[in-house]
Amino acid sequence: MADTMVDTRWVYAFGGGGADGDASMKNLLGGKGANLAEMSSLGLPVPPGFTITTEACVHYYSNAQVYPASLDGQVEAGLRRVEELTGKTFGDAANPLLVSVRSGARASMPGMMDTVLNLGLNDQTVEGLAALAGDRRFAFDSYRRFIQMYSNVVLGLDHHMFEEILDEHKDRLDVTVDTALTAEGWEAVVGDYKKAVERELGHPFPQDPQAQLWGAISAVFASWMNDRAKFYRRMHDIPESWGTAVNVQSMVFGNMGETSATGVAFTRNPSTGQNRLYGEFLINAQGEDVVAGIRTPQALTQIAREEMGDKNPSMEEALPEVFTQFKGVVEKLESHYSDMQDIEFTVERGRLYMLQTRNGKRTAKAALKIAVDLANEGVITHKEAVMRVEPASLDQLLHPTIDPKSPRNVIAAGLPASPGAATGKVVFTAEDAEHQGAAGESVILVREETSPEDIRGMDAARGIVTARGGMTSHAAVVARGMGRPCVSGAGEIRIDHKAEVFVTRGQTIKAGDIITIDGSTGEVLLGAAKMVEPELSGDFATLMGWADESRRLKVRANAETAVDARTARQFGAEGIGLCRTEHMFFDPDRIAAVREMILADDEAGRRLALAKILPMQRQDFVELFGIMEGLPVTIRLLDPPLHEFLPHTEEEVAAVAAATGLDADKLLNRAREMHEVNPMLGHRGCRLGVSYPEIYEMQVQAIIEAACEVAASGRPAPIPEIMHPLVAKGEEMKFLRELTDRTAKAVIAEKGCEIEYMVGTMVELPRAALRAADLAENAEFFSFGTNDLTQTTFGISRDDSGRFLNAYIDKGIFEKDPFVTLDQEGVGDLIRIAAERGRSVRPNVKLGICGEHGGDPASITFCESVGLDYVSCSAYRVPIARLAAAQAAIGVMEKDR
Ligand code: PEP
Ligand code: MG
C-alpha cells in the first residue's frame, strides 16, 4: 500500500526552462515567486532558484518560530537542483554558487521587507569568485557588499558603522568615489568590516554558507513582523496571517564590467500610460545602485534619452543586441499577463537575465489610459478594462490635484473630507469668503466647523478647512456636494478669531496668508502648490461608457441647486436621489419669511408666512425638474430643527430685527425657547411635519405645482418622488401619506394636470428598518439614509465622531470609519432586514441609498448584493459610483459563472 502520509511541500523550484509553480499560485509562492516560476515556464532566462512558501512562514509563526521539520531537507534538495543547473557548488572554494535571498509576499510591499545579496561568499569563496570572474576587484567589492548587507539585515548591526569605515579608507587613499577603490582597497575594507563585526558581536562574521543561508531565511521571515511591514499592511489592508515567501536564487552580476548592467523597466509609462517602454539602467552596477541614487541611471531607449537631453548612451545604443532581446521579452511578458509590467533585469557579460515581473503600479491617469488602450488593442475585453481601474482613484481625475512634483510643506492634517486641491488666501468667516470671493479673490475658508448659514461663504471659497467634525459633518457633506475640496477635523488647528490667525505646529497663519489644501489626503500646506487640471473626455468617457454597459444599479445624485443638478447630469447621473429642501430655506431672500414662519404665534400666522415661501420653492422645483428632463427627482421635505434658521448672537438678532421689523427681544426669546440639548434627536425630520403639517403641505403643493408647470410647458413630465425624513413608525407614515395625497390631489384637481408622483420614506432609524413592513403599507419607496442610520445604530454622533474614531481605528476596533464605509455587519444587517420586510408587503418597493455611503465603492458592492435599485451620491462622486456599480455587477456575474 502506498504511503498516504504525504509530506507538505514547502519548497518550489524555478529556472532552467521550467518550474514547479505558476502565476496562479501567488497565495502560496508570493507575487515574486509565482512570477519567477511563470517566467521560467515561458522559457525566459531566469536564474535558477527556489521559493519557500508563505505556508512555511505561517507555520513558523504559529509554532514558536520553529521551521517545519522537513523544510531543511527540501531546501537542501532545492539547492542541489540550482547547483546542477548552474554547474556551481554552494560553498565550493573554486567554483562557488552565490545566491540572493529575498522576501516576496502575496501583495507587493515595496521596500518593507529584507533582502540579502551575494550570499555564500567567505574568505575562501571570494578567491574562487575572483578567479572565475578574472576580476579580483569585483570579487572583493561583492564580498564587502555582502558583509555590509548581511550584518545589517541578519545580524542587526547599524549600516552607518560600515559607511564610516569605508569613508576612512577613502580618506586614507585620498579618493572620493567607490569606483576609485582597487582590489587591494576593497580587501582592506573587508578586513576592517570583519573586525568591526567581531568587536560588536563578540564572534566572527559567519563563514559557513549554510549558516549564512539559514540566517538570511530567518531574517526574511522576521522582517514580515518589522514595524515598517506592519504599518504598510495596516495602510493597505494586508492581513498579517498571509505571511511572506522567501526566494533563494542564484546570483547574476550586473557589475562584471562594461558589458554588464542592471535596470528596471515598465512596459508602458506608469505615470501617463503612454504605450512606450519606460525605465532606466546602469552599466557595471548591482541592483541596489539603481535605487540608491549614487549614480544617475541612463534611459533604456534612444528616444527617451533624446527627450531627456541626456548625454549618456541609452541601453538601446550601449548594448544593442541585448536590448533587442530584452524588448522581445518585455513584449512577450506584457501580452502574456495582458497588463503593464514592472520588470527588473540584469545583464551579465552580455547575457540577459530576468529577475522579476509584476503588474506595475500606476497613477489613476495611467490606469485609465492603459485599460482603454489594452481593450482597443484587443488584449482585454471591455469588462476586464472596467475591472482594471480603481473607482476611488477617479477622484484624482475629477478635480484639480496637486502636481506630484510640487513640494509639500504640510502644516496640519485632518480628514480627507472632499477630494481635490485648492489654493487661496485664508479667511475666517463666511462673509469674508463671500466678499473676497465676489471681488475675484481665491479664498480658503477656515472654520471651527461650518453650519448651514455658512453655505454662501462655502460656495464662494475655493476650499474649506474645519478644525472639528467628521466625514459626514456639515462641512464635509456640503463641500462634497459642491465639489469643493475640504479638510475636516484638523484638530491641531487653533483658531483665534479676535487676532484673525490660526496656530498649528508652532506656526501662526494670518488672514490673507496663502495656503493650499489637499482634500484627497486631508493635508493643509503652506503657500501655493502647482496644480494639475482634470480631463473628462477621451479615455475617461470611453471607460465610463463601458462601465454603463455592465451596470445594473442606477446612479443618482444628491443635489438641490441648479449648479449641482447640472454637474450631476454632466457626470452621468440618472436622476436626483436626494434633494434636501432645507438648503432652499437658507437663501437670504427667503430667510426673513422663514423666520417669520417660525416666530408666528399660531397656525394662521405660519400659513401667511408659508404663502410667501411657496412661490420661491415652486420656482426651485421648476428649475430642477427642467434640468433633469423627466428623470426621477426625489425631494425630501424639511428635515433640520427649526431653530437652526433663527439668528443666534445678539448682533445677528439685531440685524434680523432691523431687516424684518420684528421685535429683537421676542426673536431672542423664541430662539432661546427653541434651544435643544440634543438637536440631532430633537424636533427634526417628519416630527416637524407632524407638529406643523402646514409646512409639509406647502412643500407638497410647491412640488406638484412645479411639476404641472413643467409638464404644461411641453417639457418631459417630471415624476416627483416625495420623501419624508426620519420616519420611525407605521402610523407616522400613514399620517404623512394622507397629508401628501390630500395636498397633491387638490393641486392636480385644481390645475387639471396629469402628474404622477410617488410617496416614500427615508429609512434612517433602526426602528424604521425593523418595522419596514409597517412603513411599506404607505411608502412606495425607501431611501436608506445611512448617515443617520449609522449614527443611531452605533449611538455615535456623525458630527463629533472625528475626535475619537481614530483611537478606535488605531486599536483595530473599527477597521474603517463607519461614516465613510458602511458597517455591513450592523447597519448592513438593518438594510437587509428592511429590504426583506419592505418587499414582503410591497414586492416592488423601490429601494435606494442616499447617505454618504452611496458614493463609496465598498458600500456600493454591498448595495448590489442586497439588490437595491439605485445609489445616490454627491455629483462629483457619480462617476466613481458608476464604475463601482459596474464592477460590483461584473463581480456578481463572475461569481455566478
Ligand atoms: C442620511 O441621514 O443619511 C441622509 C441622507 O440625510 P441627512 O444627511 O440629510 O441627515
Ligand atoms: Mg438623515
Side-chain angles (χ1 to χ4, degrees):
M1 208 178 80
D3 184 2
T4 49
M5 281 289 293
V6 180
D7 191 22
T8 311
R9 179 163 195 179
W10 307 106
V11 169
Y12 287 71
F14 58 80
D20 296 337
D22 61 49
S24 69
M25 294 164 73
K26 279 204 175 67
N27 293 358
L28 187 65
L29 303 180
K32 188 191 285 271
N35 287 329
L36 282 168
E38 186 81 7
M39 284 200 292
S40 304
S41 302
L42 286 173
L44 299 181
V46 174
F50 56 88
T51 304
I52 303 175
T53 65
T54 55
E55 278 176 5
C57 179
V58 173
H59 179 285
Y60 176 77
Y61 278 110
S62 44
N63 290 278
Q65 303 189 13
V66 173
Y67 296 118
S70 55
L71 182 65
D72 203 356
Q74 294 188 26
V75 165
E76 192 54 35
L79 212 49
R80 291 290 87 79
R81 182 180 175 276
V82 178
E83 287 177 340
E84 278 158 29
L85 286 168
T86 55
K88 297 175 181 173
T89 306
F90 196 51
D92 188 294
N95 187 18
L97 168 69
L98 302 183
V99 296
S100 64
V101 180
R102 296 175 204 252
S103 61
R106 262 195 231 188
S108 118
M109 295 172 55
M112 296 302 125
M113 289 180 295
D114 290 330
T115 287
V116 182
L117 303 178
N118 303 330
L119 189 138
L121 279 174
N122 58 22
D123 293 350
Q124 283 76 48
T125 55
V126 69
E127 298 293 351
L129 181 66
L132 280 178
D135 188 342
R136 197 172 171 75
R137 182 190 177 282
F138 153 76
F140 276 91
D141 181 15
S142 301
Y143 192 19
R144 70 91 195 175
R145 285 173 193 254
F146 169 56
I147 296 176
Q148 190 164 345
M149 216 170 196
Y150 191 93
S151 300
N152 180 237
V153 169
V154 183
L155 306 177
L157 296 178
D158 189 350
H159 64 98
H160 287 121
M161 180 176 87
F162 298 98
E163 272 148 31
E164 277 164 24
I165 295 173
L166 178 54
D167 283 343
E168 282 164 18
H169 279 268
K170 283 200 230 165
D171 287 348
R172 177 177 60 81
L173 299 166
D174 199 20
V175 298
T176 50
V177 289
D178 291 5
T179 41
L181 262 78
T182 59
E184 291 69 38
W186 285 125
E187 213 174 326
V189 171
V190 164
D192 281 353
Y193 275 8
K194 286 197 296 179
K195 275 191 214 138
V197 172
E198 185 152 9
R199 186 182 65 235
E200 290 294 316
L201 299 177
H203 57 77
F205 184 83
Q207 290 286 316
D208 172 15
Q210 282 293 339
Q212 292 174 356
L213 178 63
W214 284 99
I217 292 171
S218 302
V220 171
F221 279 160
S223 71
W224 178 248
M225 292 296 184
N226 73 26
D227 288 343
R228 269 176 307 160
K230 281 186 182 166
F231 182 77
Y232 189 91
R233 280 202 291 273
R234 243 179 42 203
M235 258 173 56
H236 293 87
D237 290 334
I238 299 172
E240 191 165 289
S241 60
W242 282 2
T244 181
V246 182
N247 296 293
V248 178
Q249 187 174 24
S250 49
M251 286 292 303
V252 284
F253 295 95
N255 53 343
M256 272 202 183
E258 294 305 304
T259 54
S260 299
T262 188
V264 293
F266 290 88
T267 54
R268 300 181 189 225
N269 186 313
S271 85
T272 64
Q274 186 187 29
N275 185 4
R276 209 164 80 185
L277 183 63
Y278 175 92
E280 45 195 31
F281 86 116
L282 272 176
I283 290 193
N284 197 10
Q286 240 183 5
E288 77 257 28
D289 300 331
V290 181
V291 270
I294 303 162
R295 284 165 59 193
T296 309
Q298 294 150 240
L300 292 181
T301 60
Q302 189 173 345
I303 184 160
R305 175 177 77 77
E306 283 164 10
E307 277 173 12
M308 282 160 33
D310 191 357
K311 286 190 201 63
N312 295 315
S314 63
M315 182 176 171
E316 192 171 359
E317 294 154 299
L319 302 167
E321 276 164 34
V322 189
F323 178 79
T324 307
Q325 184 195 358
F326 178 64
K327 210 155 174 278
V329 168
V330 300
E331 276 161 18
K332 185 167 182 175
L333 281 173
E334 187 184 273
S335 77
H336 181 73
Y337 285 96
S338 315
D339 200 0
M340 185 264 270
Q341 296 297 294
D342 166 358
I343 288 163
E344 287 176 20
F345 66 95
T346 282
V347 180
E348 183 183 294
R349 293 187 165 159
R351 275 190 71 178
L352 175 69
Y353 292 97
M354 303 305 293
L355 299 184
Q356 168 153 313
T357 191
R358 61 184 168 195
N359 293 342
K361 294 226 186 308
R362 61 206 79 179
T363 62
K365 189 173 172 207
L368 196 66
K369 179 163 169 51
I370 291 171
V372 171
D373 284 354
L374 285 173
N376 286 338
E377 289 159 25
V379 179
I380 58 175
T381 63
H382 289 182
K383 281 196 173 58
E384 282 167 332
V386 165
M387 297 304 280
R388 290 280 172 92
V389 179
E390 180 64 45
S393 75
L394 292 182
D395 255 356
Q396 289 178 33
L397 305 172
L398 301 175
H399 301 269
T401 44
I402 297 178
D403 186 333
K405 289 183 230 107
S406 181
R408 297 173 79 95
N409 180 4
V410 178
I411 52 169
L415 300 170
S418 178
T423 295
K425 289 184 175 170
V426 171
V427 293
F428 292 104
T429 66
E431 292 79 50
D432 285 350
E434 245 188 287
H435 292 143
Q436 297 189 27
E441 290 281 5
S442 298
V443 297
I444 305 286
L445 179 61
V446 181
R447 305 277 291 155
E448 233 92 51
E449 57 195 345
T450 61
S451 72
E453 289 130 298
D454 295 329
I455 200 95
R456 289 168 75 94
M458 293 171 77
D459 194 26
R462 293 294 170 98
I464 297 136
V465 179
T466 67
R468 287 206 295 263
M471 292 294 281
T472 57
S473 63
H474 178 268
V477 171
V478 173
R480 275 199 291 277
M482 290 175 167
R484 293 289 173 287
C486 172
V487 174
S488 70
E492 41 189 344
I493 286 181
R494 295 272 170 274
I495 303 175
D496 180 341
H497 284 282
K498 273 222 182 79
E500 294 213 317
V501 298
F502 74 81
V503 179
T504 175
R505 300 190 186 178
Q507 297 191 61
T508 302
I509 314 297
K510 299 187 297 297
D513 286 354
I514 304 276
I515 59 170
T516 297
I517 67 169
D518 187 338
S520 308
T521 63
E523 286 171 329
V524 181
L525 324 180
L526 190 60
K530 204 163 157 248
M531 299 285 173
V532 185
E533 287 303 318
E535 159 76 76
L536 297 183
S537 52
D539 296 333
F540 177 81
T542 306
L543 192 87
M544 281 294 132
W546 294 344
D548 291 346
E549 286 165 13
S550 301
R551 178 159 62 83
R552 183 196 64 82
L553 275 167
K554 295 269 183 205
V555 176
R556 300 195 192 179
N558 294 356
E560 38 271 335
T561 65
V563 175
D564 289 351
R566 282 197 193 96
T567 312
R569 287 215 59 189
Q570 186 195 328
F571 284 142
E574 297 161 297
I576 289 180
L578 176 64
C579 163
R580 292 175 164 107
T581 55
E582 54 270 22
H583 290 249
M584 299 165 166
F585 279 56
F586 277 108
D587 195 289
D589 303 340
R590 307 169 188 194
I591 192 81
V594 172
R595 285 174 174 148
E596 199 183 313
M597 185 263 296
I598 299 168
L599 292 164
D601 293 322
D602 53 15
E603 187 187 323
R606 270 193 299 278
R607 284 197 185 276
L608 248 141
L610 285 164
K612 295 184 194 167
I613 305 171
L614 173 77
M616 306 188 231
Q617 278 262 279
R618 185 172 53 225
Q619 197 42 44
D620 291 331
F621 298 134
V622 166
E623 199 175 8
L624 269 191
F625 291 147
I627 295 167
M628 298 313 288
E629 295 180 300
L631 293 172
V633 177
T634 308
I635 298 167
R636 184 181 72 189
L637 305 188
L638 197 62
D639 185 5
L642 289 180
H643 73 89
E644 279 200 10
F645 299 98
L646 285 176
H648 300 294
T649 63
E650 295 205 5
E651 290 112 54
E652 279 172 6
V653 170
V656 172
T660 58
L662 291 164
D663 181 55
D665 284 342
K666 189 177 165 190
L667 259 172
L668 208 55
N669 270 343
R670 187 80 172 123
R672 281 199 195 111
E673 244 170 61
M674 297 184 96
H675 171 79
E676 290 183 327
V677 175
N678 192 346
M680 268 293 180
L681 301 178
H683 198 185
R684 63 174 279 225
C686 68
R687 293 156 206 156
L688 282 178
V690 170
S691 330
Y692 305 125
E694 54 279 6
I695 301 179
Y696 280 14
E697 283 167 13
M698 179 279 288
Q699 292 196 287
V700 173
Q701 185 181 345
I703 294 166
I704 303 296
E705 285 180 0
C708 291
E709 191 177 321
V710 172
S713 71
R715 284 174 285 174
I719 308 179
E721 299 179 354
I722 300 171
M723 179 158 77
H724 295 278
L726 232 66
V727 175
K729 288 199 79 183
E731 288 80 356
E732 264 175 328
M733 192 62 228
K734 182 163 183 282
F735 174 86
L736 296 163
R737 174 71 192 246
E738 283 167 7
L739 177 156
T740 312
D741 280 344
R742 192 171 55 240
T743 313
K745 291 205 169 99
V747 175
I748 290 169
E750 191 204 318
K751 302 273 174 205
C753 59
E754 282 182 23
I755 284 297
E756 280 178 49
Y757 67 93
M758 290 173 80
V759 185
T761 180
M762 303 271 298
V763 173
E764 48 186 343
L765 295 171
R767 193 184 194 285
L770 295 172
R771 303 299 302 180
D774 301 347
L775 303 192
E777 302 272 354
N778 284 296
E780 293 165 284
F781 65 87
F782 293 169
S783 179
F784 292 99
T786 43
N787 303 332
D788 275 310
L789 191 57
T790 301
Q791 168 168 264
T792 48
T793 300
F794 279 104
I796 287 179
S797 158
R798 55 195 272 191
D799 289 325
D800 299 319
S801 60
R803 289 190 222 165
F804 52 81
L805 268 187
N806 272 348
Y808 269 68
I809 291 168
D810 286 348
K811 295 191 167 61
I813 297 172
F814 279 159
E815 213 179 302
K816 300 241 171 71
D817 181 340
F819 289 104
V820 175
T821 292
L822 195 82
D823 157 49
Q824 295 188 15
E825 293 171 351
V827 179
D829 240 12
L830 285 169
I831 293 176
R832 258 192 223 102
I833 289 169
E836 201 180 291
R837 295 187 183 171
R839 283 176 180 142
S840 74
V841 168
R842 191 186 288 272
N844 63 346
V845 61
K846 199 188 238 187
L847 301 176
I849 180 172
C850 65
E852 287 302 299
H853 305 90
D856 170 64
S859 311
I860 292 171
T861 307
F862 170 81
C863 294
E864 173 71 32
S865 75
V866 184
L868 298 193
D869 297 298
Y870 68 86
V871 297
S872 187
C873 56
S874 55
Y876 282 87
R877 282 198 185 168
V878 165
I880 296 170
R882 284 163 69 195
L883 185 56
Q887 293 189 352
I890 295 170
V892 170
M893 279 186 299
E894 278 172 2
K895 222 166 51 208
D896 289 349
R897 235 191 299 165

